[in-house]
Amino acid sequence: MTIILMNNSIIPQHGWPSDYVRRYREAGHWRGETFGALLRDRALRHPDRLALIGGGQKLTYGELDQRASAVAAGLRAGGLEPGDRVIVHLPNIPEFVIAVFGLFRAGILPIYALPAHRIAEIEHFALTGGARGYLCAAEHGGFDYRGLAATLQERCPGIEHVIIADGDAAPYTALRAIEAAGAGADLPATVSAPQDIAFLQISGGTTGLSKLIPRTHDDYIYTLRESARICGLDENSVFLCALPMAHNFPMSSPGFLGALYAGARVVLSPSPSPEACFELVAREKATHCSLVPPLLMLWLDAAARATTDLSSLRVMQVGGAKLTPEVARRVEPVLGARLQQVFGMAEGLVNYTRLDDDADTIIETQGRPISPDDEILIVDDHDVPVPPGEPGHLLTRGPYTIRGYYNNPAANQHAFTHDGYYRTGDVVRLTPAGYLVVQGRAGDHINRAGEKISAEEIENHLLAHPAVFDAAVVSVPDDYLGERSCAFIIPRNEKPRAIELKKWIRGRGLAEFKVPDQIVFVDTFSETAVGKISRKALRAQLRAQLQEQKPVQAS
Ligand code: AMP
Ligand code: DBH
């Protein structure tokens, strides 16, 4: 099982020091698996079993494997090489799965973008990831991605290949044409090594712009294997993928990839709304689903009124943002499914409540880590461990937590300790039983319904507006979203209209969820604030001011 010694040296795993590589391989966490080989193996074991349902298509494991192979061969024939990066910007359609397994098989690295991302984010991924390709839908949710592709190619000459996954591709290449060109080619199951980077996930962008997260085949597949086991997912399970599938949560905890790992069936919903999902649950007899808290609240309200049969649901996973105990308590009585809290991050560490935990643990905590080799430290502002049970900053390292962002030494200096712990930015406390309870965030990001927004990124865009003298963006507690965003603005001369500033942000080509929910105009950021305290302290002050409901002019 171990692939350790070669002339007495260890084959390196991207990112980890050799003593950890040895340890994780010896423990059997890393088993030398790759995505390309994984799909081939499942296709050989059960070719006729249904793997994927969505967008009017049904694919067996055999068909998925064949189509991924054809895509891989077509991509290679079109000039893309192993090691190249391609941005994958797709909604929940079967082509997502076909294409990413095609990329895996060809040794090309997907960079996952969210459907809500717009040109500003995509351009940033293209540049920082050195992408050669951009794969998108023709149109989705009323947005024309081909227009975005045109701007992207103007701004980033490195993007040589634009591929449209569905619909009318002109003037670009259709995924269908790539698949046709590669049909029947005899590619090996994989050209990648298990220790190679398989893809780049994106960080929530805690400070400034999103960073790219390199995940290796072996480390990610380890989380799939263990997540499937912890969540009770097996070949009889049906995973309903309701959240955007590029998110790390519905992708891997255990998500659609964990479901395919387990030989289960994946059903794709074009939207996470109860209207779209309930019918799919009833028709496809879905057993597992993952949601963020605000969507869970919609589901609970709708389920209380619904006549649809949801009785197949066994596990309802909730994560991405803090779930309040009041809402958590309603899950089992209303949905008839076991609640599982999930606290994870695309950088690695994932915690689950276990299905057989007692009710208090499931309702009050955000779970415990996947792996016995996940190391957790809870520290104060000086990296000194806090007394047991006290809240502090969560640091972690382990067999599936990255040791560094992709090509970003400056960010790595802050985000990791000298001995390789990742600074999650979360404030947590540990229960005596070893479960984590999330208390909040140390950093200045806004967790808006599970979508992470960097205050700094939005401030920079606001500061570019000619009528804005200064801007500070803070989070505000929100009953439904968990948190919403509020921008405090000091106008330069004439006060701009709030609606104009929101339009400005949209016009900068940013995802809609980053548009401030609320804008407050102020004359100054208080006497002590100007130039004398950090942005972080200023944001904290403004947040407190808003919560005290000081008379400010809101919009
Ligand atoms: P991302 O950086 O986008 O991968 O988001 C990861 C972050 O989401 C974590 O560091 C937490 O701040 C937050 N998060 C994820 N799951 C939970 C949860 N169950 N409760 C509270 N916060 C969560
Ligand atoms: O919020 C997240 O990023 C997240 C939540 C739950 C995650 O990455 C995960 C599980 O794997």
Side-chain angles (χ1 to χ4, degrees), residues 247-250 252-253 319-321 342-350 352 447 450 452:
H247 266 290
N248 197 56
F249 179 21
S252 66
S253 298
V342 191
F343 163 41
M345 52 208 73
E347 284 84 352
L349 182 71
V350 180
Y352 294 105
N447 187 337
K452 319 305 183 303

Side-chain angles (χ1 to χ4, degrees), residues 202-206 213 247-248 318-323 341-347 366 422 424-426 438 440-441 445 447 450 452:
I202 53 163
S203 78
T206 312
I213 299 171
H247 266 290
N248 197 56
V318 185
K322 177 91 180 215
L323 177 64
Q341 294 215 41
V342 191
F343 163 41
M345 52 208 73
E347 284 84 352
Q366 279 66 61
Y422 168 57
T424 66
D426 294 310
V438 180
R441 290 276 313 176
H445 88 190
N447 187 337
K452 319 305 183 303

Side-chain angles (χ1 to χ4, degrees), residues 210-365:
S210 288
K211 297 176 280 289
L212 298 177
I213 299 171
R215 300 293 301 261
T216 64
H217 292 267
D218 245 349
D219 92 73
Y220 209 65
I221 291 176
Y222 170 44
T223 71
L224 302 183
R225 184 188 332 120
E226 283 304 291
S227 295
R229 186 183 61 74
I230 291 167
C231 304
L233 217 118
D234 60 26
E235 71 272 15
N236 299 314
S237 306
V238 179
F239 176 74
L240 177 68
C241 190
L243 294 170
M245 57 202 296
H247 266 290
N248 197 56
F249 179 21
M251 182 177 289
S252 66
S253 298
F256 73 90
L257 287 179
L260 295 175
Y261 183 93
R265 186 177 299 176
V266 174
V267 177
L268 302 178
S269 178
S271 150
S273 69
E275 293 75 31
C277 289
F278 283 11
E279 227 181 275
L280 284 173
V281 171
R283 197 176 73 207
E284 305 298 342
K285 305 263 178 294
T287 58
H288 291 66
C289 185
S290 45
L291 292 177
V292 291
L295 282 167
L296 172 71
M297 284 152 79
L298 284 184
W299 276 49
L300 289 172
D301 284 353
R305 289 179 269 113
T307 49
T308 340
D309 178 13
L310 303 177
S311 62
S312 59
L313 270 180
R314 289 200 293 112
V315 180
M316 175 52 70
Q317 300 184 291
V318 185
K322 177 91 180 215
L323 177 64
T324 59
E326 295 72 50
V327 177
R329 239 172 244 121
R330 291 171 58 202
V331 171
E332 301 207 7
V334 176
L335 292 175
R338 198 90 179 122
L339 169 66
Q340 181 171 51
Q341 294 215 41
V342 191
F343 163 41
M345 52 208 73
E347 284 84 352
L349 182 71
V350 180
N351 304 276
Y352 294 105
T353 56
R354 302 310 200 252
L355 300 180
D356 58 357
D357 278 337
D358 59 68
D360 277 354
T361 304
I362 291 176
I363 285 164
E364 306 281 349
T365 83

Side-chain angles (χ1 to χ4, degrees), residues 393-421:
H393 305 285
L394 172 64
L395 311 184
T396 185
R397 69 182 178 192
Y400 60 95
T401 296
I402 57 163
R403 294 294 188 119
Y405 289 105
Y406 186 73
N407 282 349
N408 201 337
N412 289 343
Q413 273 214 322
H414 302 287
F416 297 85
T417 65
H418 68 275
D419 48 358
Y421 281 88

Side-chain angles (χ1 to χ4, degrees), residues 12 96 105 151 190 227 244 358 386 392 399 430 477 536 552:
F96 190 118
R105 180 146 295 162
T151 317
T190 184
S227 295
D358 59 68
V386 298
L430 197 61
K536 191 173 156 63
V552 280

